[in-house]
Short mmCIF file of all heavy atoms in Angstrom, two decimals:
data_model
loop_
_atom_site.label_atom_id
_atom_site.label_comp_id
_atom_site.label_asym_id
_atom_site.label_seq_id
_atom_site.Cartn_x
_atom_site.Cartn_y
_atom_site.Cartn_z
N SER K 132 105.57 189.68 65.27
CA SER K 132 104.58 189.60 64.14
C SER K 132 103.30 190.44 64.60
O SER K 132 103.10 190.78 65.78
CB SER K 132 104.07 188.15 63.97
OG SER K 132 103.33 187.77 65.16
N PRO K 133 102.48 190.78 63.59
CA PRO K 133 101.21 191.37 63.94
C PRO K 133 100.38 190.28 64.71
O PRO K 133 100.76 189.04 64.67
CB PRO K 133 100.59 191.66 62.54
CG PRO K 133 101.67 191.72 61.59
CD PRO K 133 102.78 190.72 62.22
N ALA K 134 99.34 190.73 65.36
CA ALA K 134 98.48 189.78 66.09
C ALA K 134 97.85 188.77 65.10
O ALA K 134 97.36 189.16 64.07
CB ALA K 134 97.44 190.55 66.80
N ASN K 135 97.86 187.56 65.47
CA ASN K 135 97.15 186.56 64.60
C ASN K 135 95.67 186.85 64.54
O ASN K 135 95.05 187.21 65.52
CB ASN K 135 97.33 185.16 65.23
CG ASN K 135 96.71 184.08 64.47
OD1 ASN K 135 96.58 184.18 63.20
ND2 ASN K 135 96.35 182.94 65.01
N ASP K 136 95.13 186.74 63.29
CA ASP K 136 93.71 187.17 63.12
C ASP K 136 92.79 185.99 62.88
O ASP K 136 91.60 186.22 62.61
CB ASP K 136 93.59 188.16 61.93
CG ASP K 136 94.13 187.62 60.67
OD1 ASP K 136 94.54 186.42 60.69
OD2 ASP K 136 93.98 188.33 59.64
N ARG K 137 93.30 184.79 63.06
CA ARG K 137 92.37 183.59 62.91
C ARG K 137 93.04 182.35 63.57
O ARG K 137 94.31 182.41 63.72
CB ARG K 137 92.09 183.33 61.49
CG ARG K 137 93.24 182.90 60.66
CD ARG K 137 92.96 183.06 59.20
NE ARG K 137 93.14 184.43 58.75
CZ ARG K 137 92.93 184.82 57.52
NH1 ARG K 137 92.47 184.08 56.59
NH2 ARG K 137 93.06 186.12 57.21
N ASN K 138 92.30 181.46 63.99
CA ASN K 138 92.89 180.23 64.62
C ASN K 138 93.67 179.45 63.60
O ASN K 138 93.32 179.37 62.38
CB ASN K 138 91.77 179.32 65.21
CG ASN K 138 91.11 179.92 66.36
OD1 ASN K 138 91.72 180.58 67.19
ND2 ASN K 138 89.79 179.62 66.56
N ALA K 139 94.78 178.92 63.99
CA ALA K 139 95.70 178.19 63.09
C ALA K 139 96.55 177.19 63.83
O ALA K 139 96.57 177.11 65.04
CB ALA K 139 96.60 179.22 62.35
N LEU K 140 97.38 176.45 63.07
CA LEU K 140 98.38 175.54 63.65
C LEU K 140 99.75 176.00 63.26
O LEU K 140 100.02 176.26 62.05
CB LEU K 140 98.06 174.11 63.19
CG LEU K 140 96.80 173.45 63.68
CD1 LEU K 140 96.53 172.11 62.95
CD2 LEU K 140 96.76 173.33 65.25
N LEU K 141 100.71 176.03 64.17
CA LEU K 141 102.09 176.35 63.86
C LEU K 141 102.77 175.06 63.54
O LEU K 141 102.76 174.11 64.32
CB LEU K 141 102.71 177.06 65.10
CG LEU K 141 104.13 177.52 64.98
CD1 LEU K 141 104.33 178.54 63.87
CD2 LEU K 141 104.59 178.13 66.29
N LEU K 142 103.40 175.02 62.36
CA LEU K 142 104.05 173.79 61.78
C LEU K 142 105.56 173.80 61.95
O LEU K 142 106.11 172.69 62.04
CB LEU K 142 103.63 173.57 60.36
CG LEU K 142 102.16 173.55 59.98
CD1 LEU K 142 102.00 173.34 58.54
CD2 LEU K 142 101.48 172.46 60.80
N GLY K 143 106.22 174.87 61.80
CA GLY K 143 107.61 174.87 61.80
C GLY K 143 108.27 176.20 61.61
O GLY K 143 107.62 177.22 61.40
N PHE K 144 109.71 176.18 61.64
CA PHE K 144 110.40 177.49 61.62
C PHE K 144 111.61 177.32 60.63
O PHE K 144 112.13 176.28 60.38
CB PHE K 144 111.09 177.80 62.97
CG PHE K 144 110.08 177.55 64.14
CD1 PHE K 144 110.05 176.46 64.82
CD2 PHE K 144 109.17 178.57 64.47
CE1 PHE K 144 109.21 176.20 65.91
CE2 PHE K 144 108.28 178.44 65.54
CZ PHE K 144 108.29 177.20 66.30
N MET K 145 112.03 178.46 60.11
CA MET K 145 113.29 178.56 59.29
C MET K 145 113.79 179.91 59.50
O MET K 145 113.51 180.91 58.81
CB MET K 145 112.96 178.35 57.79
CG MET K 145 114.31 178.29 57.03
SD MET K 145 113.99 177.99 55.26
CE MET K 145 115.54 178.60 54.54
N PRO K 146 114.75 180.08 60.49
CA PRO K 146 115.39 181.36 60.74
C PRO K 146 116.36 181.67 59.65
O PRO K 146 116.99 180.78 59.06
CB PRO K 146 116.09 181.12 62.07
CG PRO K 146 116.37 179.67 62.11
CD PRO K 146 115.21 178.98 61.44
N HIS K 147 116.55 182.97 59.36
CA HIS K 147 117.46 183.36 58.30
C HIS K 147 118.26 184.58 58.68
O HIS K 147 117.70 185.62 59.01
CB HIS K 147 116.72 183.66 56.98
CG HIS K 147 117.53 184.05 55.85
ND1 HIS K 147 118.47 183.18 55.29
CD2 HIS K 147 117.64 185.32 55.24
CE1 HIS K 147 119.13 183.90 54.36
NE2 HIS K 147 118.69 185.10 54.33
N MET K 148 119.59 184.42 58.65
CA MET K 148 120.54 185.55 58.79
C MET K 148 121.66 185.28 57.77
O MET K 148 121.65 184.22 57.11
CB MET K 148 121.07 185.58 60.22
CG MET K 148 119.96 185.83 61.25
SD MET K 148 120.69 186.18 62.97
CE MET K 148 121.05 184.52 63.44
N HIS K 149 122.60 186.21 57.79
CA HIS K 149 123.77 186.03 56.88
C HIS K 149 125.04 185.68 57.72
O HIS K 149 124.92 185.05 58.73
CB HIS K 149 123.99 187.30 56.04
CG HIS K 149 122.90 187.43 55.03
ND1 HIS K 149 122.83 188.49 54.24
CD2 HIS K 149 121.80 186.73 54.69
CE1 HIS K 149 121.79 188.52 53.38
NE2 HIS K 149 121.12 187.36 53.70
N LEU K 150 126.17 186.22 57.32
CA LEU K 150 127.48 185.76 57.89
C LEU K 150 127.69 186.18 59.24
O LEU K 150 128.47 185.60 60.03
CB LEU K 150 128.58 186.20 56.97
CG LEU K 150 128.65 185.69 55.56
CD1 LEU K 150 129.77 186.28 54.78
CD2 LEU K 150 128.76 184.14 55.54
N ARG K 151 127.01 187.30 59.72
CA ARG K 151 127.24 187.74 61.14
C ARG K 151 126.20 187.06 62.10
O ARG K 151 126.27 187.36 63.27
CB ARG K 151 127.14 189.23 61.22
CG ARG K 151 128.28 189.99 60.62
CD ARG K 151 128.09 190.28 59.22
NE ARG K 151 129.04 191.30 58.68
CZ ARG K 151 129.07 191.63 57.40
NH1 ARG K 151 128.21 191.16 56.52
NH2 ARG K 151 129.98 192.49 56.96
N GLY K 152 125.33 186.25 61.47
CA GLY K 152 124.33 185.62 62.40
C GLY K 152 124.98 184.81 63.52
O GLY K 152 125.88 183.99 63.27
N LYS K 153 124.42 184.96 64.68
CA LYS K 153 125.00 184.30 65.91
C LYS K 153 124.00 183.33 66.59
O LYS K 153 124.40 182.28 66.88
CB LYS K 153 125.55 185.33 66.85
CG LYS K 153 126.22 184.76 68.14
CD LYS K 153 126.75 185.91 69.01
CE LYS K 153 127.48 185.38 70.21
NZ LYS K 153 127.99 186.51 71.07
N SER K 154 122.80 183.88 66.77
CA SER K 154 121.81 183.03 67.49
C SER K 154 120.39 183.49 67.03
O SER K 154 120.27 184.67 66.61
CB SER K 154 121.94 183.09 69.03
OG SER K 154 121.73 184.42 69.51
N PHE K 155 119.39 182.69 67.26
CA PHE K 155 118.06 183.02 66.88
C PHE K 155 117.08 182.25 67.79
O PHE K 155 117.24 181.15 68.11
CB PHE K 155 117.82 182.56 65.44
CG PHE K 155 116.82 183.41 64.69
CD1 PHE K 155 117.24 184.33 63.79
CD2 PHE K 155 115.47 183.27 64.88
CE1 PHE K 155 116.33 185.19 63.08
CE2 PHE K 155 114.53 184.07 64.28
CZ PHE K 155 114.97 185.00 63.31
N ARG K 156 116.05 182.96 68.24
CA ARG K 156 115.02 182.40 69.14
C ARG K 156 113.65 182.81 68.69
O ARG K 156 113.45 184.03 68.39
CB ARG K 156 115.37 182.79 70.59
CG ARG K 156 114.49 182.09 71.62
CD ARG K 156 114.85 182.50 73.02
NE ARG K 156 114.33 183.85 73.36
CZ ARG K 156 115.23 184.85 73.76
NH1 ARG K 156 116.46 184.68 73.74
NH2 ARG K 156 114.65 186.06 74.03
N TYR K 157 112.65 181.92 68.78
CA TYR K 157 111.26 182.16 68.53
C TYR K 157 110.50 182.04 69.85
O TYR K 157 110.78 181.07 70.63
CB TYR K 157 110.61 181.19 67.54
CG TYR K 157 111.01 181.36 66.13
CD1 TYR K 157 112.25 180.92 65.69
CD2 TYR K 157 110.17 181.82 65.17
CE1 TYR K 157 112.65 180.94 64.31
CE2 TYR K 157 110.48 181.86 63.81
CZ TYR K 157 111.78 181.45 63.40
OH TYR K 157 112.09 181.54 62.13
N GLU K 158 109.59 182.99 70.09
CA GLU K 158 108.72 182.88 71.25
C GLU K 158 107.21 183.01 70.81
O GLU K 158 106.92 183.67 69.79
CB GLU K 158 108.99 184.05 72.23
CG GLU K 158 110.32 183.97 72.88
CD GLU K 158 110.54 185.20 73.78
OE1 GLU K 158 109.57 185.92 74.08
OE2 GLU K 158 111.63 185.46 74.29
N LEU K 159 106.33 182.36 71.54
CA LEU K 159 104.94 182.54 71.38
C LEU K 159 104.45 183.49 72.49
O LEU K 159 104.59 183.16 73.73
CB LEU K 159 104.18 181.21 71.45
CG LEU K 159 102.62 181.25 71.44
CD1 LEU K 159 102.21 181.92 70.17
CD2 LEU K 159 102.02 179.92 71.66
N ARG K 160 103.86 184.67 72.14
CA ARG K 160 103.53 185.66 73.15
C ARG K 160 102.01 185.93 73.08
O ARG K 160 101.34 185.83 71.97
CB ARG K 160 104.25 186.98 72.89
CG ARG K 160 105.74 186.88 73.24
CD ARG K 160 106.42 188.25 73.11
NE ARG K 160 107.88 188.15 73.59
CZ ARG K 160 108.67 189.21 73.76
NH1 ARG K 160 108.17 190.44 73.40
NH2 ARG K 160 109.78 189.09 74.20
N LYS K 161 101.44 186.32 74.26
CA LYS K 161 100.08 186.70 74.31
C LYS K 161 99.90 188.20 74.16
O LYS K 161 98.79 188.65 73.80
CB LYS K 161 99.48 186.12 75.60
CG LYS K 161 99.42 184.60 75.75
CD LYS K 161 98.57 184.02 74.56
CE LYS K 161 98.53 182.54 74.60
NZ LYS K 161 97.79 181.96 73.54
N THR K 162 100.98 188.89 74.49
CA THR K 162 101.01 190.34 74.32
C THR K 162 102.38 190.62 73.62
O THR K 162 103.37 189.92 73.86
CB THR K 162 100.93 191.08 75.66
OG1 THR K 162 102.03 190.67 76.51
CG2 THR K 162 99.59 190.81 76.39
N PRO K 163 102.40 191.69 72.88
CA PRO K 163 103.56 191.96 72.04
C PRO K 163 104.82 192.31 72.82
O PRO K 163 105.94 192.12 72.35
CB PRO K 163 103.22 193.09 71.12
CG PRO K 163 102.08 193.74 71.80
CD PRO K 163 101.31 192.70 72.53
N ASP K 164 104.66 192.83 74.08
CA ASP K 164 105.81 193.30 74.80
C ASP K 164 106.17 192.50 76.08
O ASP K 164 107.00 192.94 76.86
CB ASP K 164 105.64 194.75 75.19
CG ASP K 164 104.36 194.97 75.95
OD1 ASP K 164 103.54 194.03 76.10
OD2 ASP K 164 104.06 196.14 76.32
N GLN K 165 105.49 191.38 76.25
CA GLN K 165 105.84 190.53 77.42
C GLN K 165 106.37 189.26 76.96
O GLN K 165 105.84 188.59 76.08
CB GLN K 165 104.49 190.33 78.24
CG GLN K 165 103.91 191.57 78.93
CD GLN K 165 104.88 192.15 79.93
OE1 GLN K 165 105.45 191.41 80.73
NE2 GLN K 165 104.96 193.48 79.92
N PRO K 166 107.46 188.75 77.68
CA PRO K 166 108.09 187.51 77.30
C PRO K 166 107.06 186.36 77.31
O PRO K 166 106.09 186.37 78.13
CB PRO K 166 109.18 187.26 78.35
CG PRO K 166 109.53 188.61 78.81
CD PRO K 166 108.13 189.43 78.77
N GLY K 167 107.28 185.39 76.42
CA GLY K 167 106.31 184.25 76.35
C GLY K 167 107.12 182.92 76.28
O GLY K 167 108.27 182.84 76.69
N GLU K 168 106.44 181.90 75.82
CA GLU K 168 106.99 180.59 75.73
C GLU K 168 108.03 180.48 74.66
O GLU K 168 107.81 180.90 73.46
CB GLU K 168 105.81 179.55 75.47
CG GLU K 168 106.37 178.09 75.30
CD GLU K 168 105.27 177.24 74.86
OE1 GLU K 168 104.16 177.63 74.64
OE2 GLU K 168 105.54 175.96 74.57
N VAL K 169 109.21 180.00 74.99
CA VAL K 169 110.26 179.73 74.03
C VAL K 169 109.83 178.50 73.16
O VAL K 169 109.72 177.42 73.69
CB VAL K 169 111.64 179.61 74.59
CG1 VAL K 169 112.61 179.28 73.51
CG2 VAL K 169 111.99 180.86 75.35
N LEU K 170 109.74 178.73 71.89
CA LEU K 170 109.31 177.59 70.94
C LEU K 170 110.58 176.87 70.40
O LEU K 170 110.48 175.63 70.26
CB LEU K 170 108.53 178.22 69.79
CG LEU K 170 107.24 178.88 70.18
CD1 LEU K 170 106.65 179.55 68.93
CD2 LEU K 170 106.24 177.88 70.79
N ILE K 171 111.60 177.62 70.01
CA ILE K 171 112.79 177.03 69.57
C ILE K 171 113.98 178.00 69.88
O ILE K 171 113.75 179.20 69.72
CB ILE K 171 112.70 176.70 68.05
CG1 ILE K 171 114.02 175.99 67.64
CG2 ILE K 171 112.51 177.95 67.27
CD1 ILE K 171 113.96 175.52 66.17
N ASP K 172 115.13 177.44 70.21
CA ASP K 172 116.27 178.28 70.43
C ASP K 172 117.42 177.68 69.66
O ASP K 172 117.74 176.49 69.82
CB ASP K 172 116.59 178.34 71.92
CG ASP K 172 117.78 179.20 72.28
OD1 ASP K 172 117.93 180.29 71.61
OD2 ASP K 172 118.53 178.86 73.14
N ILE K 173 118.07 178.54 68.86
CA ILE K 173 119.25 178.13 68.05
C ILE K 173 120.41 178.92 68.56
O ILE K 173 120.65 180.09 68.15
CB ILE K 173 119.02 178.38 66.59
CG1 ILE K 173 117.89 177.46 66.06
CG2 ILE K 173 120.24 177.99 65.73
CD1 ILE K 173 116.85 178.10 65.29
N PRO K 174 121.17 178.46 69.58
CA PRO K 174 122.19 179.18 70.29
C PRO K 174 123.34 179.51 69.42
O PRO K 174 124.10 180.43 69.62
CB PRO K 174 122.53 178.39 71.47
CG PRO K 174 122.20 176.97 71.09
CD PRO K 174 120.98 177.11 70.25
N ALA K 175 123.68 178.68 68.34
CA ALA K 175 124.81 178.84 67.48
C ALA K 175 124.29 178.74 66.02
O ALA K 175 124.44 177.72 65.37
CB ALA K 175 125.88 177.84 67.78
#
């Protein structure tokens, strides 16, 4: 995502793919190119 431009609260997730979708993961990052905290992992 672009950098957040105001304080906020994160409420939830809804990942979306089609028939080839295999896995999906969200992270909270402090910089765009460095790994951050895993918020949710959907392995299947």
Side-chain angles (χ1 to χ4, degrees):
S132 72
N135 183 26
D136 60 359
R137 66 197 81 183
N138 291 326
L140 294 172
L141 183 61
L142 302 180
F144 316 96
M145 185 178 159
H147 179 68
M148 297 187 283
H149 291 177
L150 296 176
R151 287 90 168 177
K153 182 177 182 180
S154 64
F155 210 104
R156 186 177 75 241
Y157 288 75
E158 296 177 10
L159 175 60
R160 292 186 171 186
K161 296 300 180 181
T162 59
D164 54 356
Q165 294 296 318
E168 176 190 358
V169 176
L170 299 171
I171 184 172
D172 182 38
I173 297 132

